[in-house]
Amino acid sequence: MSAVFKPTESLEAQFEPMTSAWLAPVAAIEHSAYAYPWTLGNFSDSISAGYHAQLLTGGAPNPVLLGYFVAMKGVDETHLLNITVAPMHQRRGWARVMLDALAIWSRGEGAQWLWLEVRASNARAKAIYERYGFRAVGMRRGYYPEGGVGLLGGPAKEDAIVMSFKL
């Protein structure tokens, strides 16, 4: 994508494909943003599988990584697997910019729906998705790792809210 975006932060940004050259900075942001982050291998595998993996960068000529997303195309849908804004750039409209870009790409690919899972406890992310137009349509019990010990002695898990958005 070659469009230039400028939400509330005074920084111009653009999208570019996620490549192996960016995996270390992506993994660093992932680890700073989440208690249970994706691994470098998860991102590498997503690129190898041909998933739609995009970076949002800004600040030419030495771009900084503002955020990224990874999505998997289905028959008539797109599944958002990961979307992250770097913690120091959050609350400035970049998540909306990335969701807009994903929706545009998905429509171009013939998708009619966007799908995602979000931690049941992640009120901030749920609010972003709801403002965008996503609606909760289900739940996946024990979907995310939570830490600690569960009822049956195994690792504790957190539920995921399944959300969809009609394109």
Side-chain angles (χ1 to χ4, degrees), residues 116 118-119 121-131 163:
L116 60 83
V118 60
R119 282 182 179 272
S121 65
N122 194 341
R124 196 164 134 209
K126 286 189 295 189
I128 290 168
Y129 299 137
E130 287 169 355
R131 277 193 307 272
M163 302 184 85

Side-chain angles (χ1 to χ4, degrees), residues 5-13 56 92-94 97:
F5 302 94
K6 197 172 182 179
T8 61
E9 188 170 25
S10 63
L11 184 65
E12 290 187 354
L56 180 63
R92 297 181 181 150
W94 296 119
V97 169

Side-chain angles (χ1 to χ4, degrees), residues 9 11 29 64-67 85-95:
E9 188 170 25
L11 184 65
I29 287 174
V64 296
L65 183 56
L66 301 171
V85 176
M88 68 184 302
H89 296 287
Q90 290 179 358
R91 297 181 185 261
R92 297 181 181 150
W94 296 119

Side-chain angles (χ1 to χ4, degrees), residues 24-97:
V26 165
I29 287 174
E30 183 79 2
H31 281 80
S32 72
Y34 301 113
Y36 299 95
W38 274 26
T39 66
L40 195 91
N42 294 135
F43 288 106
S44 180
D45 290 348
S46 295
I47 293 170
S48 296
Y51 293 169
H52 187 59
Q54 293 288 300
L55 305 173
L56 180 63
T57 62
N62 298 313
V64 296
L65 183 56
L66 301 171
Y68 49 85
F69 67 84
V70 178
M72 179 176 64
K73 175 73 177 78
V75 174
D76 65 350
E77 64 188 36
T78 298
H79 192 125
L80 179 59
L81 303 172
N82 187 321
I83 184 169
T84 304
V85 176
M88 68 184 302
H89 296 287
Q90 290 179 358
R91 297 181 185 261
R92 297 181 181 150
W94 296 119
R96 173 81 187 205
V97 169

Side-chain angles (χ1 to χ4, degrees), residues 35-36 119-121 142-151 154-159:
Y36 299 95
R119 282 182 179 272
S121 65
Y143 187 77
Y144 289 109
E146 187 176 39
V149 178
L151 293 175
K157 300 281 187 166
E158 181 176 354
D159 296 341

Side-chain angles (χ1 to χ4, degrees), residues 90-107:
Q90 290 179 358
R91 297 181 185 261
R92 297 181 181 150
W94 296 119
R96 173 81 187 205
V97 169
M98 290 193 289
L99 288 170
D100 283 344
L102 178 60
I104 290 166
W105 177 81
S106 296
R107 284 184 187 108

